[in-house]
Amino acid sequence: MTQSTSLPATYAQMLSTVSEDAKLTMALKDVPMPTPKDDQVVVRIEATPINPSDHGVMFGWASMDKASSKGSGKNTVLSAPVSPAGMGVMKARISQDLPVGNEGAGTVVAAGKDAQGLMGKVVAVMGGGMYAQYRCVPAAMCMPLLPGHTARDGASSFVNPLTALSMVETMRMEGHNALVHTAAASNLGQMLNKICMADGVELVNIVRRQEQVDILKSLGAKHIVNSSSDSFMADLTDAIHATGATLAFDATGGGALADTILTAMEKAAARTPGAYSIYGSVKHKQVYIYGGLDTSPTVLNRSYGFAWGVGAWLLPNFLAKAGPEVGTRLRTRVAKELKTTFASHYTDEISLSEALNADIVARYNAKATGTKFLINPQLPL
Amino acid sequence: MTQSTSLPATYAQMLSTVSEDAKLTMALKDVPMPTPKDDQVVVRIEATPINPSDHGVMFGWASMDKASSKGSGKNTVLSAPVSPAGMGVMKARISQDLPVGNEGAGTVVAAGKDAQGLMGKVVAVMGGGMYAQYRCVPAAMCMPLLPGHTARDGASSFVNPLTALSMVETMRMEGHNALVHTAAASNLGQMLNKICMADGVELVNIVRRQEQVDILKSLGAKHIVNSSSDSFMADLTDAIHATGATLAFDATGGGALADTILTAMEKAAARTPGAYSIYGSVKHKQVYIYGGLDTSPTVLNRSYGFAWGVGAWLLPNFLAKAGPEVGTRLRTRVAKELKTTFASHYTDEISLSEALNADIVARYNAKATGTKFLINPQLPL
């Protein structure tokens, strides 16, 4: 084992806990600095993003509109009540201290004897529990950044880039030819546009506001439809007809959007001679829900025949199904295009303790497009 | 070409038409008797069932509560208004005369030179357009019944038997180990129970009334839950936990039932150590909607993690995907077990013209368990 400098004996780690008495608590805990095993490294986490995909583990089904924080610095504690329905859903995690933070990047400061090659390197990691000052992980989990790339550049190397790439992979694996994407002006949505343009894949972008239309236009997106427009249904059907998209990824999840997309796909299919049977259009039409920006129920009117599906889509499940070769191919592309296709932009950089402040939580939990928070665990608590 | 007796020059065929002026019309039309090609036969249809799966083509999205009939005998005409929403959904079929009736059975009365072997045989056919006095089909579409089996025995050889068998096939193909079925006391549901018992597959039956519980108990069903019971959710979760079912077939389609089943699957998974991750239970949970007894929207609360799907399931699509070998294997089993596993019981036998009488339509369109209509096209019009 080699280590660069003398490491502290303990470090701060953020944990989220749901207690028996229906309360969610998030706090920093001092945990002992581990000694890496032969194939492990200790990464000093220098940049770790707060993504919607982290919110699930952080907040679960707690009533975050009633959240409050107390204490300061490393003793800051965030808490929120949990409804009986929320407790039912979270049964399996009651009384467990769950580490939070899916991904991040930093410098390797200690390495086991088989992982010496990574010593001193800046690496990106998707290992969970990244909202911490340090993290001990298998060397195989680390993606070394190219020379000149910083931890901040690489903090979001996995969730958004691999999700965007995996959407296109899913499209190919399941026999579709084009995509529909909602909340399409998001960081992820912008990456997806760049990927689709580079790969020659047609993409229908659904956004809710004119400024989001403008963002995507400036990227060169061809098909952008605004769900706030009176002509939304007609515009969407036209774009789906033009592209032949029969697969959609929906970040919102709730309400009528999945239903609207399937309805538009069916209307578009009805325009194509031979695509229609008495049981509706023949080609399978699929909407994958990969986020929950809208937590209201998904409502399906089912007026689109008998060849459709709606389901949840989760990156780790997709990667497990696709296999390690696909995973390696996608990660290699991310490392190469980190500052172009997969560049992320952050509006706020905060410390681990600031991430527990109720006012700041309210901001990054608001899911408003345009805010994106980065935690730097090396900032003073 | 050989024919047994002199055939009439024309025969009556039932057609369903949606007109530009928003009206559904069903009537009998005289069509010329065809001469079978070398590989074709003419079947004199003697028994053809009215199934929920026929209602889609017959009635589409017309407002059947406002249906009326006029005329009598072969001039009986049924009509019903269609709402603007219904017209939107049925755009692709406007002004087309659609033949109705998925399946039926009868005697081969004429055969082309390569189909002589079927001459005089009683055969079952799933060919569409079976609500007719005669039907010319490729010999390959005919399933000869075993000696001693009548057209009435074989009238329902395809839709319900193949659907029930294909549910079990789908379960195996998609990696599930047990099934949930709704509207489970139906003709189809009873077949499914017999198949599952014979094949050693665990089946959770969901019914709505105590007399349906009794029907299934008398068949020997092990897991029966009554959705009208106060303990429905607990009973369903227990049954799913006991069987390990992660696949459901839902005949109702609308409302909360698909959501309830997924919720129960998730609760059951949470009882099993290791089955649960922070993203919910790991195993994919699927509900296939194969009918629309409840036409209200499907409402999904999505409180069951990220490994679930809801979609439409249609027998022809499944058979196309499974391939011809599977189809042949299933059909052979149906022919063998026609009077046992796949026996159908009818409450009413009617003529083609009676099937267009608004009062009778109201009865067979009511989808009440326990009524099952058979058309005998050879009865006087």
Side-chain angles (χ1 to χ4, degrees):
Chain A
M1 211 271 296
T2 313
Q3 65 181 60
S4 53
T5 53
S6 90
L7 296 177
T10 62
Y11 65 85
Q13 161 89 56
M14 191 185 294
L15 297 171
S16 171
T17 314
V18 175
S19 60
E20 286 282 4
D21 61 342
K23 201 169 84 169
L24 173 98
T25 305
M26 288 175 63
L28 299 175
K29 190 183 168 186
D30 266 332
V31 295
M33 178 69 67
T35 303
K37 294 187 185 144
D38 290 353
D39 64 342
Q40 289 181 332
V41 298
V42 173
V43 181
R44 183 179 65 221
I45 309 296
E46 291 147 5
T48 172
I50 304 178
N51 243 321
S53 59
D54 295 301
H55 296 173
V57 187
M58 293 170 84
F59 310 134
W61 291 69
S63 303
M64 291 308 293
D65 51 331
K66 295 173 190 149
S68 61
S69 51
K70 56 178 190 184
S72 66
K74 67 184 293 186
N75 298 316
T76 311
V77 174
L78 179 79
S79 59
V82 182
S83 69
M87 288 302 284
V89 177
M90 295 197 289
K91 218 169 187 175
R93 63 172 282 188
I94 291 172
S95 300
Q96 292 181 47
D97 293 332
L98 298 178
V100 288
N102 286 322
E103 65 180 332
T107 307
V108 174
V109 291
K113 79 174 170 57
D114 300 335
Q116 290 294 315
L118 287 175
M119 194 61 206
K121 291 248 161 74
V122 180
V123 298
V125 183
M126 178 164 70
M130 301 301 286
Y131 296 172
Q133 292 170 323
Y134 294 86
R135 181 85 172 81
C136 183
V137 291
M141 262 198 183
C142 297
M143 178 177 95
L145 303 187
L146 297 189
H149 290 176
T150 65
R152 190 179 166 115
D153 294 331
S156 298
S157 290
F158 293 97
V159 177
N160 280 344
L162 290 183
T163 298
L165 285 170
S166 295
M167 287 175 176
V168 179
E169 292 292 319
T170 299
M171 180 197 82
R172 294 198 184 104
M173 274 170 55
E174 300 187 1
H176 303 276
N177 299 312
L179 286 171
V180 176
H181 188 224
T182 74
S186 67
N187 204 305
L188 170 66
Q190 296 183 34
M191 287 180 191
L192 185 60
N193 271 281
K194 292 179 195 167
I195 296 165
C196 287
M197 279 181 246
D199 293 8
V201 170
E202 295 259 50
L203 172 66
V204 177
N205 292 280
I206 300 178
V207 297
R208 289 196 303 179
R209 292 197 304 270
Q210 184 56 41
E211 63 259 39
Q212 297 166 332
V213 173
D214 299 339
I215 292 171
L216 293 176
K217 262 195 190 148
S218 73
L219 284 180
K222 233 168 83 187
H223 303 283
I224 312 166
V225 290
N226 186 339
S227 62
S228 304
S229 159
D230 289 341
S231 60
F232 173 53
M233 194 66 203
D235 296 345
L236 181 60
T237 306
D238 286 346
I240 288 174
H241 181 61
T243 57
T246 46
L247 174 63
F249 283 92
D250 177 24
T252 67
L257 193 49
D259 188 72
T260 300
I261 294 168
L262 290 169
T263 304
M265 286 176 176
E266 188 70 358
K267 280 176 190 273
R271 293 185 192 171
T272 308
Y276 204 81
S277 84
I278 195 61
Y279 296 112
S281 70
V282 176
K283 182 113 198 321
H284 184 78
K285 295 159 292 297
Q286 179 71 38
V287 176
Y288 282 123
I289 295 172
Y290 76 94
L293 298 177
D294 177 347
T295 53
S296 72
T298 310
V299 178
L300 305 173
N301 288 297
R302 306 192 314 284
S303 56
Y304 20 79
F306 279 89
W308 60 269
V310 170
W313 187 93
L314 188 70
L315 179 62
N317 293 1
F318 169 78
L319 291 174
K321 197 169 138 192
E325 275 178 43
V326 171
T328 302
R329 172 162 55 80
L330 302 188
R331 273 190 296 273
T332 305
R333 179 166 177 183
V334 174
K336 270 191 202 157
E337 303 176 23
L338 195 59
K339 301 267 274 186
T340 53
T341 315
F342 303 110
S344 285
H345 305 284
Y346 306 98
T347 52
D348 294 82
E349 181 170 323
I350 58 177
S351 70
L352 279 172
S353 52
E354 285 173 317
L356 297 175
N357 177 291
D359 294 334
I360 296 177
V361 169
R363 285 178 58 214
Y364 65 70
N365 196 26
K367 294 155 187 152
T369 306
T371 61
K372 188 146 171 63
F373 281 69
L374 186 75
I375 298 176
N376 179 349
Q378 303 306 318
L379 290 176
L381 295 177
Chain B
M1 210 269 294
T2 312
Q3 66 183 58
S4 52
T5 53
S6 92
L7 297 177
T10 62
Y11 64 85
Q13 160 91 57
M14 191 185 292
L15 297 171
S16 171
T17 313
V18 175
S19 60
E20 286 283 5
D21 61 343
K23 201 169 83 172
L24 174 97
T25 306
M26 286 175 65
L28 299 175
K29 191 183 168 185
D30 266 332
V31 295
M33 178 69 67
T35 302
K37 294 186 187 146
D38 290 354
D39 63 342
Q40 291 182 331
V41 297
V42 173
V43 181
R44 184 178 66 219
I45 309 296
E46 291 147 4
T48 171
I50 303 178
N51 241 322
S53 59
D54 294 301
H55 295 173
V57 187
M58 292 170 85
F59 310 134
W61 290 69
S63 304
M64 291 308 292
D65 51 329
K66 294 172 190 149
S68 62
S69 52
K70 57 178 189 186
S72 66
K74 68 185 288 185
N75 298 313
T76 311
V77 174
L78 180 79
S79 59
V82 183
S83 69
M87 288 301 284
V89 177
M90 296 197 288
K91 219 170 186 173
R93 62 172 283 189
I94 291 172
S95 300
Q96 291 182 47
D97 292 332
L98 298 178
V100 288
N102 286 322
E103 65 180 332
T107 307
V108 174
V109 290
K113 76 174 171 58
D114 301 336
Q116 290 295 315
L118 287 174
M119 195 60 206
K121 291 248 161 75
V122 179
V123 298
V125 183
M126 178 164 71
M130 302 301 286
Y131 296 171
Q133 291 170 322
Y134 295 85
R135 181 87 170 82
C136 182
V137 292
M141 261 197 183
C142 297
M143 179 177 96
L145 303 187
L146 297 189
H149 291 175
T150 65
R152 191 182 165 113
D153 293 332
S156 299
S157 289
F158 293 97
V159 178
N160 280 345
L162 290 182
T163 298
L165 286 169
S166 295
M167 287 175 176
V168 179
E169 292 292 318
T170 299
M171 180 198 82
R172 294 199 183 103
M173 274 171 57
E174 300 188 0
H176 303 276
N177 300 311
L179 285 172
V180 176
H181 188 223
T182 74
S186 66
N187 203 306
L188 171 66
Q190 295 181 35
M191 287 182 192
L192 184 62
N193 271 281
K194 293 178 196 167
I195 295 165
C196 287
M197 279 180 245
D199 293 9
V201 171
E202 295 260 49
L203 172 66
V204 177
N205 293 280
I206 301 179
V207 297
R208 289 195 302 178
R209 292 197 303 269
Q210 185 56 41
E211 63 259 41
Q212 296 166 333
V213 173
D214 299 338
I215 291 171
L216 292 176
K217 260 194 191 149
S218 73
L219 283 180
K222 233 167 84 185
H223 303 284
I224 311 166
V225 292
N226 186 340
S227 62
S228 304
S229 157
D230 289 343
S231 59
F232 173 52
M233 193 67 202
D235 296 344
L236 181 61
T237 306
D238 286 347
I240 288 174
H241 181 62
T243 57
T246 46
L247 175 62
F249 284 91
D250 176 26
T252 67
L257 192 50
D259 188 73
T260 300
I261 293 168
L262 289 169
T263 304
M265 286 176 177
E266 188 70 359
K267 280 176 191 273
R271 292 187 191 169
T272 308
Y276 204 83
S277 84
I278 195 62
Y279 296 112
S281 69
V282 175
K283 183 112 196 326
H284 184 77
K285 295 159 292 298
Q286 179 72 37
V287 177
Y288 283 123
I289 295 171
Y290 76 95
L293 299 178
D294 178 347
T295 55
S296 73
T298 310
V299 178
L300 305 173
N301 288 299
R302 307 193 312 286
S303 57
Y304 20 78
F306 280 88
W308 60 270
V310 171
W313 188 94
L314 187 70
L315 178 62
N317 293 359
F318 168 78
L319 291 174
K321 196 169 140 194
E325 276 178 42
V326 172
T328 303
R329 172 163 54 80
L330 303 188
R331 272 191 296 273
T332 305
R333 179 165 177 184
V334 174
K336 269 192 204 158
E337 302 175 23
L338 195 58
K339 301 267 274 185
T340 53
T341 314
F342 303 110
S344 284
H345 305 283
Y346 306 98
T347 51
D348 295 81
E349 181 169 321
I350 57 177
S351 70
L352 280 171
S353 52
E354 285 172 319
L356 296 176
N357 178 293
D359 294 335
I360 296 178
V361 170
R363 284 179 57 213
Y364 66 69
N365 196 27
K367 293 155 188 150
T369 305
T371 62
K372 188 144 171 64
F373 281 68
L374 185 75
I375 299 175
N376 179 350
Q378 304 307 318
L379 289 177
L381 295 177

